[in-house]
Amino acid sequence: MRSEILKLQGLVSGYQPDLPIIQGVDLSVGEGELVVMLGPNGAGKSTLVKTIAGLVPVHSGRVFLAGADLTDVPTHRKMRQGLGFVPQTENIFATMSIRENLQLAAQVLPKAHRAARIDAMLAMFPDLAARQSTRSGALSGGQRQMLACARALIVEPQILILDEPSAGLSPKMVSEVFEQLVRINASGVTTILVEQNVKAGLQIASRGVILVEGRVAHDAPADGLLGDPVVSELYLGGHKKEEVTA
Amino acid sequence: MITQAIMDGLINGGIIGLGAIGVTLTYSILRFANFGHGELLSWGAYVALSLSAALGALLPSLSTPIGPFSFGWSVPIALIGSMILTALLALTVDWLLFGRLRRSGSAIIILVMASFGAALALRNLLEFIYTSKPAYFTNALQISKPLFGGMRATPDQLLVLGLAVVTVVLVHLLLTRTPAGRAMRAVSENAQLAALTGIDVRNVIRLVWILGAALAAVAGVMSGLLVQIRPTMGLDLLLPLFAASILGGIGSVPGAMLAGLIVGLAEALTVQVIGAEWRAAVAFVILVAVLLLRPNGLFGKAPA
Amino acid sequence: MILDLLSYGAFFLTMALSYAVICLGLNVQWGQTGLFNVGVAGFVAVGAYTSALLTTPFIADRIGGFGLPIVIGWLGGGLVAGLLSAALGFITLRLRSDYLAIATFGAAVMIQLVLLNLLGFTGGPFGIGFIPRPFGDLAENTDLFSYANLAVMAALVSVTYLVLEHLVRSPWGRVLRAIREDETAARGLGKNPEAYRLQAFAIGGFVMGLGGAAQAHFIGFIAPDNYLPTLTFQVWTMLIIGGSGNMRGAILGGVLVWGIWAVSGNVVSQFFPASEQARASSLQIVLIGIALCVVLLFRPRGILGENATVSRHIKARKKPATGSASLSTRT
């Protein structure tokens, strides 16, 4: 039986106190799963993961990470307790070099481990190692995404959450990024990704959760969802055209 | 005569640059123009004055001038004390005022307004305690020694210039080579991402206030040493400080110092060519020129 | 005795109302348009000096002295202040709001410098005297004189208030409101936000100049020292306490804060011997500075301001800015 890494209990949240976007979400993610979060525009997928990360205020409900109640913990400490989050935009420090980005992320680790972890990340992403001193603002979209992942992984998080990692990337880059995500997940990191690219997301995930209007509308193993017409009805509607052929 | 103006300009520019570094750091990380920064300079000078006088009263030998300089050991010791106390002042004002306004979600402009009010209160508190009569660290007179190219400078002036250079180098190293400095640069670029990277943004904010206030205290003492100490000294430097930090590019430490030197030189040349009474206009002209032609300044990033 | 008290009251109220006019001008810039002008004193000075130069009799070594009627002086003062505001606004309004604050601060410093240094223009540190008073021929009968001046000032405040209220409710005012609520939508409808902001800034500047001129003619004598940052601070305190965004709040603030200033000045000076009066006035300003910060902390909308104003200007914009542009409210 897998241990439970992430648990959301009756989560209600939103930027404004009187305007909840997440309207009550219960979710349980087990160790090692690769969950893809889908749903129509405005369903609240981004808002949900941002709530978990502490960027959106919680109105009610709780967030547990490996049993520890993280709901009221400030964002920077959530990260230190094992929650890795990669935002959709502005997810690296463009004015700093690749190496500095990694050094910065490694600062929360004890001094003795920092160098080793930085080297581990450079080994995992040879593309980045090749140009460590480059100002990261000059990197391509795919490389930035890699750096953003490396930044989050350097502290060996218990769970890695990504908000639309494929956004703005060419199809070739999307497959590279997704390959990398599969490898990361295979090495034991529980992963949640929010995705607009339904087909690509379901192809790598073990499980799909569909969010509609701030609530979980469907939660099932990924291979079942791929061909399921009910899913298309539920939310794709006219969005079927947006499926990108990999 | 122009060469002497250049000397004076560099020295004054060094002081402006030091203050501007504090402004540019707090501006880029706290994201508002702090009209009270000049008062940190004034408080730094007055606190050092009081500490130095107290030390001199306790141990008269501390007042004896060191070597060629006009001041005794009481002044450098008092400077250290003043840096600490001025940092405490800044942290207190942030705790009482700016921090609360930030947490209640106030717009930037309210913070600026509050800083204007705080500045007025702090300045007049100084005037209340010390009166507006000018004060001096020491009564010892200094003779300026000839250098090269027809320039003259007093030992005090050369010390100030040297200290300014050393301080800039130290701050630059702090920002680029230390974890704390990296954290500050990260928060300056993207505070939310910094938090996501595990950085305690509140700690960084405290650090910025300490650093900015300490630098202001040094600049204040320098100005007090070379010119005089009076309650409006910070206010008089505020426009040059803002002009220099905007010219240098908000967030750039080397930019702030370079721009400070430029402003200092421009002021000295104006005094030479046009007249001393128009000195204060120079900073305004530079400010308008920068805002018109290149609002990002020399080394600045794109505005937030 | 009663007559003396009433006369003093009239004098006091006239001064307060002159500040109310200036405050109305500031409200157009801040309350209606959200612009933070830290150089109020400069524009007030420009209005005062222009009017003085237009209406005073000729003096050697100084230009001006056209001896024109007071009304021309006042309008001229407003006009020059308005034009100067337009010029400054043109340079700075498209920049971020705190750059405008710094630029207006610098402008006030610059204006102060010009007033001090150009003796042939402004009389330098000696200022300009013999500014004609309204109903000047009544000067011997002090009571009637005070009431007449009060009437004039009250009339000015009323007219300004009515004109501005009308402006706010006019189509122009509606566009200004639309720009505040949703600038992108307003732009999509073909309205140019920069142009409207510039107009509002200039109109506000005009009213400030007008107030400065009226004040100058009431006191009869002006000097550069009358227009220091303290004045800017006084007017801002009046607007914030009275209620920003609200024309009546501006008037209330003007009268109320002027009263507080005068009374607190009196009270504080009681605690100090005659030789320490300078210290007393410093302490007074400290207390008022603290009072402003307290109001900003606990009741930023002031007495008459509505909550709508608070969310409009005082709170950060609702849509969460990206991480780079804001510190979260958790800091």
Side-chain angles (χ1 to χ4, degrees):
Chain A
M1 191 57 214
R2 292 176 200 249
S3 59
E4 185 183 62
I5 291 284
L6 181 72
K7 177 166 161 155
L8 306 177
Q9 215 172 47
L11 201 58
V12 177
S13 72
Y15 296 100
Q16 303 297 322
D18 44 353
L19 224 82
I21 300 176
I22 300 301
Q23 313 254 11
V25 165
D26 293 286
L27 190 66
S28 173
V29 178
E31 188 179 355
E33 289 196 68
L34 205 169
V35 179
V36 66
M37 199 157 290
L38 308 163
N41 276 329
K45 312 186 290 293
S46 258
T47 310
L48 182 62
V49 293
K50 283 187 188 161
T51 307
I52 300 171
L55 304 176
V56 174
V58 171
H59 299 176
S60 63
R62 308 228 69 85
V63 177
F64 295 92
L65 183 69
D69 187 343
L70 279 193
T71 325
D72 300 318
V73 172
T75 303
H76 71 274
R77 262 196 269 137
K78 277 198 236 255
M79 301 307 131
R80 293 183 189 215
Q81 287 197 327
L83 201 146
F85 181 68
V86 178
Q88 180 181 349
T89 54
E90 296 184 357
N91 46 23
I92 53 161
F93 292 105
T95 58
M96 299 193 201
S97 70
I98 291 178
R99 192 170 180 86
E100 281 186 304
N101 265 274
L102 294 176
Q103 280 173 322
L104 189 68
Q107 268 166 220
V108 309
L109 298 168
K111 216 166 178 185
H113 296 173
R114 288 179 203 168
R117 285 303 298 158
I118 294 176
D119 290 335
M121 287 301 105
L122 291 171
M124 195 178 204
F125 299 95
D127 219 16
L128 297 178
R131 40 177 79 81
Q132 297 183 36
S133 320
T134 318
R135 208 178 132 271
S136 41
L139 297 174
S140 73
Q143 289 165 335
R144 281 189 193 217
Q145 214 56 358
M146 294 301 165
L147 180 57
C149 290
R151 183 194 59 67
L153 287 170
I154 205 167
V155 297
E156 293 177 293
Q158 298 189 56
I159 185 168
L160 179 67
I161 305 178
L162 304 110
D163 193 355
E164 300 208 27
S166 71
L169 297 180
S170 64
K172 175 168 172 287
M173 282 271 73
V174 172
S175 2
E176 276 186 39
V177 169
F178 276 26
E179 264 175 48
Q180 200 54 276
L181 288 179
V182 170
R183 248 178 269 142
I184 291 170
N185 176 248
S187 70
V189 181
T190 315
T191 311
I192 298 181
L193 62 145
V194 170
E195 254 312 319
Q196 285 280 34
N197 190 334
V198 178
K199 190 163 175 192
L202 283 174
Q203 273 175 342
I204 60 167
S206 58
R207 171 175 160 206
V209 172
I210 302 178
L211 221 60
V212 177
E213 289 184 2
R215 276 179 241 268
V216 173
H218 206 64
D219 184 348
D223 21 325
L225 284 175
L226 250 178
D228 193 342
V230 173
V231 170
S232 313
E233 299 291 312
L234 243 186
Y235 86 99
L236 286 175
H239 290 228
K240 261 200 167 151
K241 305 179 195 83
E242 284 186 357
E243 281 183 34
V244 175
T245 40
Chain B
M1 274 285 91
I2 292 290
T3 46
Q4 187 57 41
I6 293 178
M7 186 84 235
D8 294 335
L10 283 176
I11 294 165
N12 218 26
I15 296 177
I16 295 175
L18 263 190
I21 293 175
V23 172
T24 210
L25 284 175
T26 48
Y27 206 153
S28 74
I29 290 173
L30 294 156
R31 299 171 211 286
F32 77 102
N34 180 10
F35 274 81
H37 201 95
E39 312 315 322
L40 290 175
L41 247 120
S42 309
W43 272 82
Y46 271 103
V47 169
L49 181 70
S50 298
L51 286 175
S52 169
L55 285 168
L58 283 172
L59 272 162
S61 60
L62 288 177
S63 300
T64 349
I66 316 167
F69 304 118
S70 74
F71 52 90
W73 281 109
S74 64
V75 171
I77 300 174
L79 174 59
I80 309 283
S82 172
M83 285 166 74
I84 298 172
L85 289 173
T86 311
L88 275 172
L89 176 67
L91 287 172
T92 309
V93 174
D94 187 62
W95 175 65
L96 283 174
L97 187 63
F98 299 128
R100 279 184 214 211
L101 287 172
R102 277 196 306 270
R103 277 189 292 280
S104 70
S106 297
I108 293 291
I109 211 61
I110 297 297
L111 284 151
V112 180
M113 223 182 266
S115 78
F116 190 63
L120 223 98
L122 287 171
R123 182 162 63 246
N124 280 275
L125 192 56
L126 277 178
E127 204 169 306
F128 174 68
I129 299 173
Y130 295 96
T131 79
S132 49
K133 194 165 145 240
Y136 302 88
F137 276 110
T138 161
N139 291 324
L141 281 170
Q142 286 240 301
I143 320 264
S144 60
K145 309 266 166 66
L147 298 170
F148 53 91
M151 297 195 270
R152 307 182 68 90
T154 65
D156 279 4
Q157 287 176 324
L158 291 174
L159 177 68
V160 162
L161 199 53
L163 197 59
V165 172
V166 167
T167 311
V168 174
V169 172
L170 285 176
V171 173
H172 185 72
L173 286 176
L174 174 78
L175 282 180
T176 49
R177 303 279 168 103
T178 66
R182 237 174 274 132
M184 283 169 70
R185 282 188 293 141
V187 173
S188 160
E189 181 177 335
N190 188 336
Q192 203 175 74
L193 186 62
L196 287 174
T197 316
I199 294 175
D200 186 349
V201 176
R202 275 207 205 193
N203 252 359
V204 171
I205 289 176
R206 264 176 239 133
L207 199 62
V208 167
W209 278 118
I210 292 173
L211 188 59
L215 288 170
V218 175
V221 169
M222 283 182 178
S223 178
L225 199 62
L226 295 185
V227 185
Q228 67 178 202
I229 307 171
R230 62 192 187 286
T232 56
M233 63 192 285
L235 176 67
D236 292 339
L237 278 167
L238 194 60
L239 199 58
L241 289 183
F242 276 140
S245 39
I246 293 177
L247 171 62
I250 297 291
S252 165
V253 168
M257 182 44 96
L258 182 63
L261 291 171
I262 294 175
V263 173
L265 284 167
E267 282 191 355
L269 287 170
T270 303
V271 169
Q272 190 70 254
V273 172
I274 304 179
E277 67 271 16
W278 288 108
R279 179 197 211 114
V282 175
F284 179 63
V285 171
I286 292 180
L287 180 70
V288 171
V290 173
L291 291 179
L292 271 178
L293 301 169
R294 201 187 157 109
N296 282 358
L298 295 169
F299 302 110
K301 312 161 245 200
Chain C
M1 174 61 204
I2 300 282
L3 275 181
D4 280 343
L5 218 56
L6 281 175
S7 198
Y8 175 71
F11 170 82
F12 168 90
L13 202 54
T14 313
M15 264 314 273
L17 287 175
S18 71
Y19 278 100
V21 176
I22 301 172
C23 213
L24 281 169
L26 186 61
N27 191 40
V28 175
Q29 293 181 341
W30 167 244
Q32 302 303 324
T33 327
L35 302 168
F36 185 33
N37 181 351
V38 187
V40 176
F43 299 102
V44 173
V46 165
Y49 268 83
T50 307
S51 186
L53 287 174
L54 286 174
T55 58
T56 46
F58 181 74
I59 285 190
D61 304 328
R62 197 200 69 208
I63 72 156
F66 300 106
L68 293 169
I70 294 177
V71 175
I72 305 278
W74 288 11
L75 289 174
L79 198 64
V80 175
L83 286 171
L84 202 64
S85 304
L88 191 66
F90 181 72
I91 299 173
T92 54
L93 279 178
R94 48 206 159 101
L95 302 166
R96 36 187 292 179
S97 53
D98 40 5
Y99 280 8
L100 176 70
I102 297 172
T104 48
F105 172 69
V109 169
M110 192 67 180
I111 292 172
Q112 178 80 353
L113 218 60
V114 166
L115 294 179
L116 268 176
N117 293 341
L118 294 183
L119 277 103
F121 205 3
T122 63
F126 307 112
I128 301 181
F130 301 110
I131 304 179
R133 335 276 286 280
F135 300 106
D137 12 309
L138 289 175
E140 317 88 47
N141 187 342
T142 32
D143 295 340
L144 208 54
F145 185 52
S146 314
Y147 300 139
N149 268 285
L150 178 58
V152 168
M153 200 60 83
L156 181 64
V157 172
S158 312
V159 168
T160 313
Y161 170 75
L162 288 168
V163 170
L164 288 178
E165 272 289 301
H166 181 77
L167 204 58
V168 165
R169 295 186 203 294
S170 72
W172 181 87
R174 281 201 291 275
V175 176
L176 203 62
R177 211 177 357 244
I179 290 172
R180 248 187 351 250
E181 303 303 328
D182 191 338
E183 184 171 321
T184 332
R187 217 186 272 271
L189 289 168
K191 303 297 177 190
N192 183 357
E194 281 89 25
Y196 278 84
R197 279 197 206 109
L198 190 61
Q199 288 159 20
F201 197 64
I203 292 173
F206 174 89
V207 175
M208 280 183 207
L210 186 63
Q215 211 177 56
H217 285 263
F218 178 58
I219 305 175
F221 167 80
I222 53 175
D225 266 357
N226 295 128
Y227 304 105
L228 296 169
T230 315
L231 174 62
T232 303
F233 177 67
Q234 276 174 319
V235 181
W236 268 108
T237 310
M238 289 170 178
L239 188 60
I240 295 290
I241 289 183
S244 38
N246 191 318
M247 295 293 172
R248 264 161 297 158
I251 299 176
L252 173 68
V255 176
L256 189 63
V257 175
W258 181 247
I260 295 175
W261 199 280
V263 168
S264 67
N266 254 319
V267 168
V268 169
S269 64
Q270 305 289 6
F271 288 96
F272 292 85
S275 54
E276 297 284 2
Q277 282 310 301
R279 277 203 143 112
S281 53
S282 304
L283 188 61
Q284 180 199 14
I285 301 181
V286 171
L287 293 174
I288 303 211
I290 295 176
L292 178 65
C293 293
V294 167
V295 172
L296 284 175
L297 273 172
F298 298 113
R299 196 176 161 111
R301 60 178 159 124
I303 298 178
L304 290 183
E306 307 100 13
N307 260 317
T309 319
V310 176
S311 60
R312 210 189 293 140
H313 298 315
I314 295 178
K315 294 299 175 193
R317 268 174 308 153
K318 287 179 189 181
K319 187 136 195 353
T322 55
S324 52
S326 72
L327 293 172
S328 82
T329 50
R330 298 261 194 113
T331 52

